Amino acid sequence: MRTIMASLALGAAAVAIGAVPARAQEMHHPMAMGEPMQGTILTVVSEGRTTRTPDIATISAGVVAQAPTAAEAMRQNSAQMGKVIAALKRAGIADRDIQTADISLSPQYRHEDNQPPVITGYQAANSVRVRFRDIEKSGAILDLLVAQGANNINGPSLTIDAIDGARDEARVDAVRKARARADLYAGAAGLSVDRILSISEGEAPGSGPMPGGYMMRAESSDTQVMPGEQDVTMTVTVRFLLK
């Protein structure tokens, strides 16, 4: 029996042929009555791909306040964050899409030569993670947050809500490409594809959330969030029996 390995990742292909004892292959595909498998095994690694427009944007919106005392810094910070959260709710953001991300309080120091640092006040920071299910409205909401006191904004991270359907499309594409390449190798070797022995999968790099950015229009202060397109990729390893 012979084993052929092929890689389709990013359109590149590599083939290695070597002698493999027939009994060793029985561990992957047992034969009835212990009969050794006859033929050539071809292993194809294939990447399937589909494209979606992200429909969820996630940002971190926070407020930072400074005051002479820790209590005053926290009080001011809490009041500012209360305005930010109220503004989010007025804009239609549901409670489930607002999550506290971080709360911190730290002393501020003055440093002078040959003197120990002196505490001059305190800085309180509070941020929430906000999920926008309507990306077209997220830019206007970001401007509203700034108007309500949000002074520390990061993101957005753009993702696809119904990701499972997109991944299934990528899986089908990956198997289709693997079969096409198997037929190509089989024809070149004067053989034909008899059947599939096994299929395994793994998600390819580049399928996760996409970092985004803000684009400011020159004629106004309105913020635009551009969703663009996102590739969803899946990788499968398919073992074929050629005869």
Side-chain angles (χ1 to χ4, degrees):
M1 178 177 295
R2 295 182 299 166
T3 298
I4 300 176
M5 298 188 65
S7 174
L8 294 182
L10 301 179
V15 180
I17 301 177
V20 178
R23 189 168 299 276
Q25 300 304 324
E26 293 175 5
M27 296 177 63
H28 300 281
H29 188 78
M31 303 297 291
M33 306 298 292
E35 179 182 352
M37 194 186 316
Q38 299 298 323
T40 298
I41 291 178
L42 170 68
T43 300
V44 178
V45 180
S46 174
E47 181 183 278
R49 183 183 305 270
T50 190
T51 302
R52 288 287 192 279
T53 298
D55 50 9
I56 290 182
T58 303
I59 62 104
S60 173
V63 295
V64 178
Q66 293 184 343
T69 66
E72 179 62 17
M74 289 296 291
R75 188 196 67 77
Q76 292 182 16
N77 183 265
S78 178
Q80 285 181 269
M81 179 53 75
K83 294 179 180 179
V84 168
I85 293 176
L88 287 170
K89 293 182 177 181
R90 287 196 305 271
I93 305 298
D95 288 347
R96 63 173 178 154
D97 292 327
I98 306 173
Q99 182 182 52
T100 297
D102 181 69
I103 298 175
S104 65
L105 176 68
S106 57
Q108 304 298 295
Y109 296 94
R110 182 179 68 244
H111 297 272
E112 296 182 358
D113 293 341
N114 302 319
Q115 297 293 330
V118 177
I119 295 177
T120 59
Y122 292 84
Q123 177 176 283
N126 189 345
S127 65
V128 291
R129 189 173 294 110
V130 185
R131 184 165 45 189
F132 298 98
R133 298 180 184 274
D134 187 347
I135 294 182
E136 291 184 358
K137 295 181 179 179
S138 58
I141 296 176
L142 289 172
D143 292 334
L144 175 64
L145 292 178
V146 173
Q148 294 299 319
N151 51 19
N152 188 6
I153 295 178
N154 293 288
S157 174
L158 303 177
T159 56
I160 301 166
D161 189 18
I163 190 65
D164 289 342
R167 286 173 175 163
D168 285 346
E169 287 186 15
R171 291 181 178 105
V172 171
D173 185 51
V175 173
R176 179 185 60 80
K177 290 178 179 177
R179 178 55 196 252
R181 190 56 58 94
D183 288 336
L184 176 67
Y185 282 122
L191 303 170
S192 62
V193 176
D194 183 67
R195 63 179 181 273
I196 292 176
L197 300 179
S198 66
I199 301 176
S200 60
E201 75 165 42
E203 189 171 354
S207 301
M210 291 179 59
Y214 306 120
M215 184 182 74
M216 303 301 294
R217 294 191 301 200
E219 67 273 16
S220 73
S221 61
D222 294 339
T223 300
Q224 288 186 319
V225 177
M226 311 299 291
E229 288 188 341
Q230 182 173 338
D231 287 338
V232 178
T233 56
M234 296 295 296
T235 298
V236 298
T237 301
V238 187
R239 290 164 52 83
F240 297 91
L241 179 63
L242 310 183
K243 288 188 177 180

